[in-house]
């Protein structure tokens, strides 16, 4: 699943669509999209004004004759944006059969073709009132972003400790809560805990502030490294231009079950934590 750095790379990859006008909209038959047909069709003749990112969400803003439209876009497990020049698009015999998992398509005023494809349909592109979009619970409750520079470690510690300062949840689970740290998913959670030398199964209330500060630094370092490497591609994630990320080559612990730890040569462990798999080195991470 794309995490904050992957979504940020997609946002950056979409920079060329800013200022373009949507001249044609095509919507898939999938219920999630077809039931919004009326709202999505309103985007026809609008200009794409900007695309922001909050955690793992992209926030799209369109302007049509002075009226702003906004959409909340999540890539889910397999959502990918593709941008094609007219020349390449026309080289597909029948593009919508080629991209049979497309959910939404915009033809742009410069001739480019922009398409949102999502095989498993966990993603979304939902029109919202632009005045209220930042007040949606999924946005307003987000914690410090893994890509914030500098990372807001104090806020992170405050959020992870919780109101009563006695949170007993395992740290590996806590890091997947976007109200604690936004844009961190299962991969970068494992990586950051490895860098900070913290066992993912330790309860939060047994971890010192000093260790949590170290974890804040680790989250930021891992997030920036992922950004520099243009994200992790394990299966579906790709850039808007179709290229994969390279961060998978930099992962120290995630996906490396039974390989030897890069730091101490012990065998890397993997186990279920909640409904996700966590990877750790029991020698390095106490
Ligand atoms: Zn180790």
């Amino acid at each position: 699943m794309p995490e904050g750095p992957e979504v940020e790379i997609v946002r950056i990859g979409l920079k060329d669509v800013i200022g373009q006008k949507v001249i044609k909209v095509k919507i898939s038959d999938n219920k999630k999209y077809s039931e919004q047909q009326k709202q999505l069709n309103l985007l026809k003749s609008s200009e794409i004004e900007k695309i922001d990112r909050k955690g793992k969400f992209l926030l799209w803003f369109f302007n049509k004759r002075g009226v702003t439209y906004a959409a909340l876009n999540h890539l889910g497990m397999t959502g990918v944006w593709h941008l094609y020049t007219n020349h390449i698009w026309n080289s597909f015999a029948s593009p919508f059969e080629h991209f049979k998992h497309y959910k939404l398509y915009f033809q742009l005023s410069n001739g480019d073709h922009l398409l949102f494809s999502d095989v498993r349909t966990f993603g979304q592109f939902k029109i919202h009132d632009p005045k209220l979009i930042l007040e949606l619970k999924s946005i307003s409750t987000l914690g410090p972003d893994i890509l914030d520079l500098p990372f807001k470690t104090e806020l992170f510690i405050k959020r992870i400790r919780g109101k009563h300062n006695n949170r007993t949840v395992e740290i590996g689970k806590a890091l997947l809560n976007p109200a604690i740290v936004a844009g961190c998913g299962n991969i970068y959670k494992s990586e950051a805990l490895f860098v900070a030398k913290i066992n993912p199964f330790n309860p939060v209330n047994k971890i010192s502030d000093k260790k949590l500060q170290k974890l804040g630094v680790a989250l930021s370092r891992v997030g920036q490294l992922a950004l520099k490497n243009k994200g992790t591609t394990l299966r579906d994630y790709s850039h808007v231009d179709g290229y994969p990320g390279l961060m998978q080559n930099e992962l120290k612990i995630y996906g490396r079950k039974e390989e030897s730890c890069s730091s101490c040569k012990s065998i890397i462990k993997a186990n279920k934590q909640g409904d996700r798999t966590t990877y750790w080195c029991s020698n390095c991470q106490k």
Side-chain angles (χ1 to χ4, degrees):
M1 185 194 279
E3 304 183 21
E6 286 73 28
V7 178
E8 179 63 11
I9 294 297
V10 169
R11 191 188 72 81
I12 294 167
L14 288 166
K15 68 179 189 312
D16 291 343
V17 309
I18 306 297
Q20 294 301 318
K21 219 170 184 182
V22 175
I23 58 172
K24 193 176 166 191
V25 178
K26 192 169 154 65
I27 302 154
S28 118
D29 294 338
N30 180 279
K31 192 166 169 276
K32 216 184 218 179
Y33 296 83
S34 62
E35 69 186 11
Q36 293 189 81
Q37 194 155 17
K38 224 170 122 187
Q39 295 96 314
L40 289 168
N41 274 322
L42 286 174
L43 300 178
K44 195 181 162 195
S45 304
S46 71
E47 184 186 309
I48 303 173
E49 217 169 38
K50 64 172 178 171
I51 305 169
D52 290 338
R53 182 188 60 84
K54 298 276 178 197
K56 298 179 193 170
F57 290 95
L58 290 173
L59 277 60
W60 293 65
F61 294 91
F62 301 82
N63 189 305
K64 185 168 162 180
R65 293 187 282 274
V67 179
T68 303
Y69 295 85
L72 187 67
N73 177 207
H74 196 287
L75 305 180
M77 300 279 284
T78 55
V80 180
W81 282 98
H82 300 281
L83 182 64
Y84 289 104
T85 61
N86 197 34
H87 181 71
I88 294 180
W89 182 259
N90 286 329
S91 70
F92 298 115
S94 41
F96 292 104
E97 268 173 48
H98 183 85
F99 296 104
K100 59 175 186 282
H101 297 291
Y102 95 93
K103 297 293 175 279
L104 186 60
Y105 159 86
F106 298 136
Q107 191 176 346
L108 304 178
S109 47
N110 65 352
D112 284 357
H113 303 259
L114 180 62
L115 180 130
F116 182 56
S117 171
D118 187 8
V119 177
R120 297 190 61 188
T121 326
F122 290 116
Q124 59 158 288
F125 188 96
K126 201 163 188 316
I127 301 291
H128 285 279
D129 182 336
K131 289 192 210 74
L132 300 178
I133 195 163
L134 293 176
E135 291 167 31
L136 291 170
K137 204 173 162 228
S138 52
I139 300 297
S140 65
T141 56
L142 288 173
D145 195 284
I146 191 169
L147 295 179
D148 282 341
L149 277 179
F151 181 69
K152 299 184 182 81
T153 301
E154 262 176 54
L155 179 61
F156 163 67
I157 294 177
K158 206 175 141 199
R159 290 282 180 104
I160 203 165
R161 290 284 184 220
K163 261 191 221 139
H164 306 292
N165 207 11
N166 63 349
R167 206 175 243 151
T168 55
V169 64
E170 293 166 358
I171 183 89
K173 284 184 186 170
L175 291 185
L176 296 181
N177 178 351
I180 290 173
V181 50
C184 179
N186 203 36
I187 298 176
Y188 302 140
K189 166 206 86 180
S190 282
E191 294 296 305
L193 287 169
F194 177 71
V195 172
K197 299 185 191 295
I198 298 172
N199 186 304
F201 296 92
N202 286 349
V204 168
N205 62 345
K206 298 281 185 252
I207 301 173
S208 68
D209 274 0
K210 205 176 151 199
K211 274 253 165 182
L212 288 179
Q213 266 157 11
K214 233 175 125 182
L215 180 56
V217 173
L219 281 164
S220 184
R221 202 199 294 171
V222 166
Q224 293 303 322
L225 186 67
L227 194 59
K228 196 177 134 202
N229 283 285
K230 303 214 169 8
T232 299
T233 298
L234 297 177
R235 251 190 72 184
D236 299 285
Y237 165 75
S238 78
H239 304 160
V240 172
D241 58 14
Y243 286 99
L246 294 170
M247 182 63 182
Q248 61 279 11
N249 305 323
E250 305 295 326
L251 300 177
K252 297 273 185 281
I253 195 101
Y254 182 87
R256 299 202 180 277
K257 184 183 177 185
E258 284 170 15
E259 292 182 28
S260 62
C261 167
S262 58
S263 175
C264 75
K265 307 291 173 223
S266 300
I267 299 299
I268 292 172
K269 294 186 171 174
N271 215 335
K272 284 270 173 227
Q273 185 169 36
D275 55 0
R276 313 300 296 273
T277 302
T278 286
Y279 298 84
W280 80 105
C281 170
S282 57
N283 187 40
C284 291
Q285 295 172 259
K286 300 289 187 191

